[in-house]
Structures are given as structure tokens and as C-alpha cells.
Amino acid sequence: MHLSSSLSSFCFDMKLFLSLLLIVMVPFNHAEGPPSPGYYPSSKFSSLGFNEGFRNLWGPQHQSVDQGSLTIWLDSSSGSGFKSLTRYRSGYFGAAIKLQAGYTAGVITSFYLSNNEDFPGYHDEIDIEFLGTTLDKPYTLQTNIYIRGSGDGRSIGREVKFHLWFDPTRDFHNYAILYTSNEITFLVDDVPIRRYPRKSDATFPMRPMWVYGSIWDASSWATEGGKYKANYHYQPFIGKYKYFRVGGCTADAPGSCVPPSTSPSGSTGLSQQQRNAMEWVQKNYLVYDYCKDPKRDHSQIPECN
């Protein structure tokens, strides 16, 4: 009886161990990362130091530059923002970014294109925004597109949100927007995570834009719809940027200027290998897609239909 009891106990402990092992192993399978995209657009561009391509826009006391790398921070007195020296009508726009660990709810760290200064109240915008979080949850990477003022009080955003397959606070990772007259592609470490094709002139930004970045307090909406606010007990909130990569057609470039391509063939769209990598990310890490939100008015977002 004693031997039988011991064997039963051993079998139970082994089953428990295997169950726990399976639970632990599942996240690490995802943590291995997506399949290779097979093509690396960032390799086509030399990196720039901050002062070679950008300048401070606001909050100069909350910005420092060291050997071409930029640090910006938010505290209870101010955040900070920067802007490119040139407007672009198409191109590749990327940077290596490292985010702050810990409690960052309410804080937005961003890298984006916009012409808001040129067309206030009627602007275009293409966003990469890192939505701050609480201690127990991961960052959310929000991609968004505004077209001809859709973000200026009318709130017709085109948000698609992701978690990441790595910890963005532990090291620098490359984030980029590749914008042409036919499509917008968002990339993380050269992996396409979202592609937004031009289906009509009405649903695609067509005017030149500047490149921006910033860190600011968006407590009213950034973290779980504004549930969690910025807590300045944890200040300063810091964003670090380096290895800026910018290339394409400036606003004044001749019509013959050809923007960079997302795919190795040089044509519009992604290769099959890139599509496989993007599908892996969207299957495992996509957390919100405006096209699939039943609360949205789909008459305002016809590209989803």
C-alpha cells in the first residue's frame, strides 16, 4: 500500500511538473520572435546623428544629445519634442528607440509623420506611439493614420495596436514607417507589422509631412482609455533615440524621384516571406484593429469594407 501510494504521488507530481513546464514554455515559443522577413529595408540607409536630420521643437530643457543619440524626458513641468529639418512626400523614416521601464501609465513616447503645422485643423498624420503602462502589463505599440483633419476634433483615427514579442525597455529596437504614394508600412526590427494600402485618394494621406518625435502626458486616453494616469512620483519619464534613418523624396524633389520600396522586388506590396512574418505578428500580438471594432462607424472608414 505504501509503495502504491508513493507511485501515485510520484505520478501526480510528474503530471503537475509537466503541466507547469508547458505553461512556462508557451510564452517562450512566442518570445523567439517572428519568422525572418528575408529583407531588411533599414540596411539601405546610413544612420544619422540627431543634429544631422532633426532639431528640438519644444521643451529644450528636457532634451540632451550625446554623440548623435537623443534623450528626451517628461516631468511635471514639461515634456519634449523634436522635428526633422526637411519635409518629405515619401520615404523611409526610422529610429532605434528604448523605452522606460516601470510605471509609465499616461505617458506617450512617439515617432511620427505630420503636416499639422502646415495645415492646422486639416492635417495628415502617420503615427508610431508607445502607450505607457502599469507595472504588471506590457507596453502597447499603437499605429495610427489621420487623413486631412480626421484627427482634428472629428476623431476618425485608424488605430491598430500591438504588444511586442520582446521587452522594449531592455534594449534599443528599430521602429520605422515606410511611406509611398501607394502604401504605408509599419516595421519593427524590419518585420512588417501593418500594411495600409491606398484604396482611394479619400482614405490616403497625399501631402508632404515632417518627421517628429515626442514624449508627453496623454493621461486622458493613453492607458486603458484614461483609467490610469501619469504618476509623477515616478518622474522623469525617459525616451531614448539613436540611429536615425531617413531617406526618400523631399517635398521639393523632382517628380522623377523614386521612393524606397518595402519589398526586395522593388514593387508595391510585400514578398511572401514578409507576409508570413507579418501574419505571425498579427496572429500572436495584435490587440486592437479599428476595422474589426463594432463600435466604429464604418461609413467613416470605407477602406475597411
Side-chain angles (χ1 to χ4, degrees):
M1 293 291 290
H2 178 71
L3 178 60
S4 175
S5 176
S6 296
L7 287 172
S8 297
S9 177
F10 173 79
C11 289
F12 174 78
D13 290 343
M14 182 56 70
K15 288 178 181 178
L16 179 61
F17 170 76
L18 291 174
S19 297
L20 290 173
L21 183 63
L22 181 62
I23 291 170
V24 170
M25 287 177 64
V26 168
F28 283 96
N29 289 336
H30 283 180
E32 292 174 0
S36 168
Y39 181 67
Y40 303 90
S42 66
S43 67
K44 305 299 180 183
F45 304 93
S46 300
S47 63
L48 300 173
F50 175 75
N51 291 323
E52 294 179 273
F54 298 87
R55 65 172 179 84
N56 176 263
L57 182 62
W58 60 280
Q61 299 84 5
H62 290 69
Q63 171 187 304
S64 67
V65 179
D66 180 24
Q67 296 183 341
S69 298
L70 171 72
T71 300
I72 55 176
W73 61 93
L74 166 72
D75 61 25
S76 57
S77 66
S78 179
S80 188
F82 60 91
K83 177 184 178 181
S84 63
L85 302 177
T86 307
R87 282 189 311 158
Y88 296 86
R89 67 170 186 259
S90 62
Y92 176 93
F93 311 98
I97 303 172
K98 183 179 180 182
L99 304 176
Q100 176 155 319
Y103 185 98
T104 54
V107 178
I108 297 288
T109 308
S110 68
F111 188 73
Y112 63 102
L113 310 179
S114 178
N115 48 33
N116 185 51
E117 292 180 275
D118 300 320
F119 304 102
Y122 193 64
H123 83 288
D124 307 296
E125 190 166 311
I126 305 171
D127 295 331
I128 291 176
E129 297 173 305
F130 299 95
L131 311 185
T133 188
T134 54
L135 295 172
D136 58 336
K137 295 180 181 178
Y139 269 92
T140 297
L141 169 57
Q142 174 170 281
T143 63
N144 201 0
I145 299 165
Y146 290 121
I147 299 157
R148 284 181 290 284
S150 63
D152 299 308
R154 289 189 284 148
S155 268
I156 309 174
R158 290 165 167 83
E159 305 92 342
V160 177
K161 303 177 185 180
F162 302 85
H163 289 157
L164 296 165
W165 53 96
F166 53 83
D167 181 351
T169 72
R170 295 187 66 180
D171 204 351
F172 285 88
H173 288 267
N174 293 306
Y175 305 92
I177 298 164
L178 208 159
Y179 169 48
T180 73
S181 60
N182 294 310
E183 62 186 346
I184 299 164
T185 308
F186 297 87
L187 304 108
V188 176
D189 289 338
D190 285 311
V191 175
I193 62 169
R194 177 187 181 185
R195 178 175 175 264
Y196 182 88
R198 176 180 171 183
K199 294 185 176 180
S200 73
D201 291 352
T203 61
F204 199 84
M206 302 289 290
R207 299 172 296 181
M209 289 183 268
W210 305 86
V211 189
Y212 295 88
S214 61
I215 189 166
W216 57 291
D217 186 335
S219 289
S220 63
W221 64 271
T223 305
E224 297 186 34
K227 179 179 179 180
Y228 298 99
K229 314 294 185 184
N231 184 341
Y232 288 99
H233 171 76
Y234 297 98
Q235 70 178 17
F237 302 101
I238 298 169
K240 296 183 177 182
Y241 300 70
K242 65 179 182 179
Y243 303 146
F244 295 92
R245 288 182 170 87
V246 175
C249 300
T250 65
D252 301 323
S256 58
C257 180
V258 178
S261 173
T262 311
S263 71
S265 68
S267 61
T268 298
L270 303 174
S271 69
Q272 184 59 56
Q273 198 168 348
Q274 288 176 308
R275 286 197 296 272
N276 291 343
M278 183 172 70
E279 287 169 5
W280 183 94
V281 173
Q282 294 182 352
K283 177 182 177 181
N284 292 300
Y285 290 96
L286 188 147
V287 295
Y288 175 82
D289 184 342
Y290 75 108
C291 282
K292 298 177 181 178
D293 186 345
K295 298 178 182 178
R296 295 295 299 266
D297 179 355
H298 281 240
S299 68
Q300 296 181 327
I301 45 176
E303 72 277 4
C304 295
N305 300 326

